[in-house]
Amino acid sequence: MADTAARNTTLMANAIRALAMDAVQQANSGHPGAPMGMAEIAVALWNRHLRHNPANPQWADRDRFVLSNGHGSMLIYALLHLTGYALPIEELKAFRQLHSKTPGHPEVGITPGVETTTGPLGQGITNAVGLALAEKMLAKEFNREGHDIVGHHTYAFLGDGCLMEGISHEACALAGAWKLNKLIAIYDDNGISIDGQVAPWFIDNTAQRFEAYGWNVIGPVDGHDVESVDTAISLAKMSTDMPTLIIAKTTIGKGSPNRAGTAKAHGEALGGEEIKLTREALGWAHEPFVIPQEVYADWDAKASGATLEAAWDERFDAYATAHPELAAEFQRRMAGVLPANFAQTAVDAVIAAHGKAETVASRKASQLALEAFTAAVPELLGGSADLTGSNLTNTKSTPAFRLEADGSSNGGRHINYGVREFGMAAIMNGVALHGGYIPYGGTFLTFSDYSRNAIRMAALMKQRVIHVFTHDSIGLGEDGPTHQSIEHVASLRLIPGLDVWRPADTTETVVAWTMAIGNAQRPSVLALSRQNLPYAPKTAVDDIAKGGYVLAEPKEVGVKGKARAVIIATGSEVQLALRAQELLALDGIGVRVVSMPSTNVFDRQDAAYKKAVLPAGLPRIAVEMGVTDGWWKYGCAAVVGIDTYGESAPAPVLFKHFGFTAENVVDTVKVALGVAKLKVKKSK
């Protein structure tokens, strides 16, 4: 029996190797080395421990699996195919081809069973931290005595590249601090990266590093011994207060006579002759993409998965009987459906903001909006990268997340991420991917550069993640150009699938939050001011949600007739546009003021609406404290912006220095209309 078991696991592992080298060879592109080297690790985890159901990849209490070293995507594609997911062999044959379900790196929403999009190294393990955090918090919120409906593990495979990326330090340190004992990471320690042996540039003592984080470290174990890996995973699952790192020593490209253990196995096809030799070395006498039925039978997880989910369904039914309201709430949250009263909460918040017409910084307006929304939407999970008092992301309904004496969550809903902007952003992606929470987190806008790739990944994955970026311009003042955002809003607007909001007052801020919370398919950015902003009087608020709207016509400042120009402004500069409108009126020049809190949303409106807001034939002048490039697409005659870095000085001094005054806007409009000449500054 032992020999049969050994033979079966060997065949199971070699099936992964064969599929990986065949798919990469057919595509003439890809990374066969990691799948071939981690095949036995995959057998141990996926065949003996992973709780999943191929027939229902969205089962709420399934274990989550993340391939952080996403370049080895053929590993997860082979596993999904072999275990019975809706990923037929034809899809593996179409590896890396247009519109296949097997893209070059795993993509959530494309391939059934893929939990997160990985490829940018380090972000997968960081997503896994977010997945494990969500599990821990949901368990605290919903489990009751005798009814554990949330209790799954998060597993991650990762390699040297993930550990070299700095984000892994940020995330894994937090995982230890949060005692995420149901997070188990398996490190493929093969010592090889694209440039060759990693020893000259990667000499970390990984075990001591993770022990210092507060992790349980197991190994090194032989990553090619299924039994050793199986035992290590069993030990890891016994941890009650620590995440676990299993260090598994492997040979990259295992099985390849001439490529194993070399960088040549990492990121290129083995070649026809080497594949032939590998088949002979492995004793794999099957044609490309042919898997024996007995191997499929050993891998098949459909029956066991159905049994696991059926058992959970029974437990959930008992839970629903004992706690019907909690059960309904859990189902709503996991489905990503907002509370029934969300729309009314938003309406009430807009009415309140419009009625009070307060002069506050938009970061404070954001906190006022959050007070209403966090009270009504319990899945809102806040946080800040060590700037809570500046970002104002905390509310009365969101006490700080802390741990109880037993290591469980205290039920808090505001996370102190520490100075870890990139880690925060990617952890929030993991939380959103898990389901049950809508994460939002804050830092200064200029530090969005640290978060940028994780923001991009949220957009690529279509995840509802909300970034609160305060101190959005030179208006923050004395901290100077290191902290003053210039190009950041414009660059974030360029990310496909991301909505960027820069509201001008309390009402626009409430609408921005309403749209961000309500959009289940897009991440959002709120760029908010440090300085107070006067309320912008408006007769209607419905069109704010369209991203851009007519805020003031000439008649509102006593000018008869149609507008001769349009001033477009965002955020704190709307007040300049309104003041310029008043000053122009004194000269009998009527202009329309358009507030455009979100160019992304405005650009998605139909042509008729956009034409109604920005009529043809009228000169357009944009005003925004940032780079000018993004505004020319609106056919602007001029842009009052800033294409240099800022300076260290009080905000009022900076506004005058850089031309952000109503008088300069007036002069710019007059030049555009041909009623004044451009003023040339004399050099000193």
Side-chain angles (χ1 to χ4, degrees):
M1 179 67 75
D3 290 341
T4 301
R7 178 177 180 273
N8 286 348
T9 57
T10 298
L11 288 175
M12 292 169 74
N14 286 341
I16 293 173
R17 293 189 172 98
L19 289 172
M21 63 184 182
D22 289 343
V24 172
Q25 182 66 28
Q26 179 147 312
N28 195 28
S29 175
H31 301 72
M36 296 175 73
M38 297 191 75
E40 282 83 10
I41 297 172
V43 171
L45 175 60
W46 278 67
N47 189 244
R48 301 188 180 182
H49 294 278
L50 194 71
R51 296 171 62 254
H52 64 120
N53 183 5
N56 183 12
Q58 299 305 313
W59 167 35
D61 202 41
R62 67 192 181 279
D63 286 341
R64 269 60 167 183
F65 172 76
V66 175
L67 184 68
S68 189
N69 44 347
H71 54 269
S73 57
M74 268 310 304
L75 176 59
I76 192 169
Y77 297 152
L79 287 165
L80 294 169
H81 169 71
L82 292 167
T83 55
Y85 285 78
L87 195 69
I89 196 70
E90 289 74 22
E91 293 291 348
L92 274 63
K93 292 178 180 179
F95 177 56
R96 291 192 166 213
Q97 304 309 300
L98 185 64
H99 302 318
S100 77
K101 292 184 179 179
T102 51
H105 290 81
E107 293 188 41
V108 67
I110 301 295
T111 314
V114 169
E115 300 284 1
T116 180
T117 300
T118 56
L121 294 177
Q123 287 196 60
I125 182 62
T126 308
N127 293 166
V129 171
L131 289 164
L133 174 64
E135 186 277 336
K136 185 184 190 99
M137 299 184 77
L138 284 169
K140 174 68 174 184
E141 192 169 352
F142 287 98
N143 287 351
R144 294 295 183 269
E145 186 175 353
H147 298 283
D148 288 347
I149 61 163
V150 180
H152 51 268
H153 283 83
T154 299
Y155 296 95
F157 286 175
L158 68 158
D160 293 313
C162 293
L163 294 179
M164 284 187 259
E165 289 286 0
I167 190 174
S168 68
H169 168 83
E170 298 181 26
C172 293
L174 282 169
W178 293 337
K179 301 184 183 298
L180 300 180
N181 62 295
K182 291 190 174 180
L183 172 62
I184 299 173
I186 304 179
Y187 166 34
D188 177 30
D189 185 8
N190 60 43
I192 296 290
S193 67
I194 291 176
D195 282 354
Q197 291 281 347
V198 300
W201 57 83
F202 183 54
I203 62 169
D204 298 17
N205 187 319
T206 299
Q208 290 183 2
R209 170 184 166 185
F210 275 76
E211 287 170 355
Y213 293 150
W215 284 55
N216 172 40
V217 178
I218 298 174
V221 301
D222 181 355
H224 300 302
D225 181 354
V226 172
E227 302 305 323
S228 294
V229 178
D230 176 23
T231 299
I233 296 172
S234 295
L235 288 172
K237 289 163 68 176
M238 296 171 63
S239 175
T240 59
D241 61 350
M242 294 182 181
T244 297
L245 178 73
I246 299 171
I247 300 174
K249 287 285 187 180
T250 66
T251 299
I252 193 170
K254 174 76 172 176
S256 172
N258 299 301
R259 297 287 184 90
T262 72
K264 294 287 285 183
H266 185 282
E268 60 185 79
L270 296 181
E273 182 60 28
E274 187 64 18
I275 287 177
K276 178 184 176 184
L277 294 174
T278 303
R279 277 184 151 77
E280 292 172 357
L282 295 174
W284 187 265
H286 308 288
E287 294 297 312
F289 298 104
V290 173
I291 305 296
Q293 286 304 312
E294 61 267 27
V295 177
Y296 273 125
D298 285 340
W299 269 115
D300 193 349
K302 293 192 292 293
S304 60
T307 299
L308 286 168
E309 185 172 356
W312 183 83
D313 287 342
E314 287 186 14
R315 296 199 305 276
F316 189 82
D317 288 343
Y319 175 76
T321 298
H323 306 283
E325 292 183 1
L326 278 175
E329 177 71 356
F330 178 79
Q331 290 176 316
R332 178 190 72 77
R333 295 262 295 268
M334 292 303 293
V337 177
L338 292 173
N341 66 340
F342 173 73
Q344 189 59 53
T345 298
V347 169
D348 292 344
V350 168
I351 291 173
H354 187 49
K356 293 179 181 178
E358 294 177 283
T359 293
V360 295
S362 54
R363 61 171 175 164
K364 181 61 179 179
S366 170
Q367 187 179 45
L368 294 173
L370 277 172
E371 287 289 357
F373 287 125
T374 55
V377 185
E379 56 265 45
L380 280 172
L381 178 64
S384 174
D386 202 47
L387 289 169
T388 300
S390 294
N391 302 148
L392 304 182
T393 48
N394 57 328
T395 70
K396 295 175 183 176
S397 300
T398 56
F401 167 72
R402 295 291 185 268
L403 300 181
E404 304 286 9
D406 63 358
S408 66
S409 165
N410 69 335
R413 288 167 54 200
H414 188 274
I415 298 172
N416 300 104
Y417 288 97
V419 188
R420 300 181 178 97
E421 295 88 358
F422 193 8
M424 174 179 71
I427 287 171
M428 289 197 296
N429 288 351
V431 169
L433 286 158
H434 184 281
Y437 292 104
I438 300 172
Y440 66 92
T443 185
F444 290 172
L445 178 57
T446 190
F447 301 138
S448 64
D449 285 339
Y450 289 140
S451 311
R452 185 179 179 86
N453 199 261
I455 298 171
R456 180 180 186 271
M457 294 303 292
L460 179 62
M461 295 188 288
K462 301 179 180 179
Q463 294 301 303
R464 180 164 40 189
V465 178
I466 304 171
H467 293 270
V468 180
F469 291 132
T470 67
H471 297 59
D472 69 341
S473 70
I474 60 171
L476 70 87
E478 293 86 346
D479 276 344
T482 61
H483 284 51
Q484 291 165 2
S485 303
I486 301 297
E487 77 280 15
H488 299 78
V489 168
S491 67
L492 289 167
R493 287 173 179 148
L494 293 175
I495 298 177
L498 175 69
D499 283 348
V500 179
W501 292 87
R502 189 164 183 257
D505 59 19
T506 51
T507 299
E508 286 192 3
T509 305
V510 172
V511 172
W513 267 109
T514 300
M515 298 295 287
I517 295 169
N519 198 331
Q521 297 295 312
R522 287 174 178 266
S524 298
V525 160
L526 276 71
L528 307 169
S529 74
R530 178 197 185 196
Q531 72 274 25
N532 286 345
L533 306 182
Y535 191 79
K538 49 186 73 69
T539 57
V541 298
D542 292 344
D543 286 341
I544 298 174
K546 296 178 180 177
Y549 66 103
V550 178
L551 177 61
E553 293 282 28
K555 64 181 180 180
E556 289 160 58
V557 287
V559 178
K560 296 180 180 179
K562 295 182 178 180
R564 296 172 57 186
V566 178
I567 304 176
I568 311 167
T570 78
S572 53
E573 289 74 78
V574 168
Q575 60 184 301
L576 294 182
L578 291 172
R579 179 58 182 155
Q581 183 192 44
E582 294 174 353
L583 295 176
L584 286 163
L586 297 177
D587 292 332
I589 299 173
V591 298
R592 168 184 286 186
V593 174
V594 168
S595 178
M596 196 175 288
S598 178
T599 62
N600 307 101
V601 175
F602 179 76
D603 290 349
R604 293 200 299 272
Q605 303 307 311
D606 61 47
Y609 180 77
K610 288 187 283 189
K611 184 177 180 180
V613 174
L614 301 176
L618 295 184
R620 300 165 187 173
I621 297 87
V623 185
E624 184 174 60
M625 289 188 205
V627 293
T628 59
D629 277 358
W631 289 104
W632 301 111
K633 68 178 179 179
Y634 295 112
C636 291
V639 180
V640 178
I642 174 170
D643 288 315
T644 67
Y645 292 109
E647 297 283 352
S648 295
V653 175
L654 293 174
F655 296 155
K656 184 176 181 180
H657 175 75
F658 286 108
F660 290 101
T661 64
E663 290 75 16
N664 187 46
V665 175
V666 167
D667 291 343
T668 304
V669 172
K670 287 182 176 180
V671 170
L673 289 171
V675 299
K677 292 183 179 181
L678 181 65
K679 295 180 179 179
V680 179
K681 290 184 178 180
K682 295 181 180 180
S683 59
K684 295 181 180 179

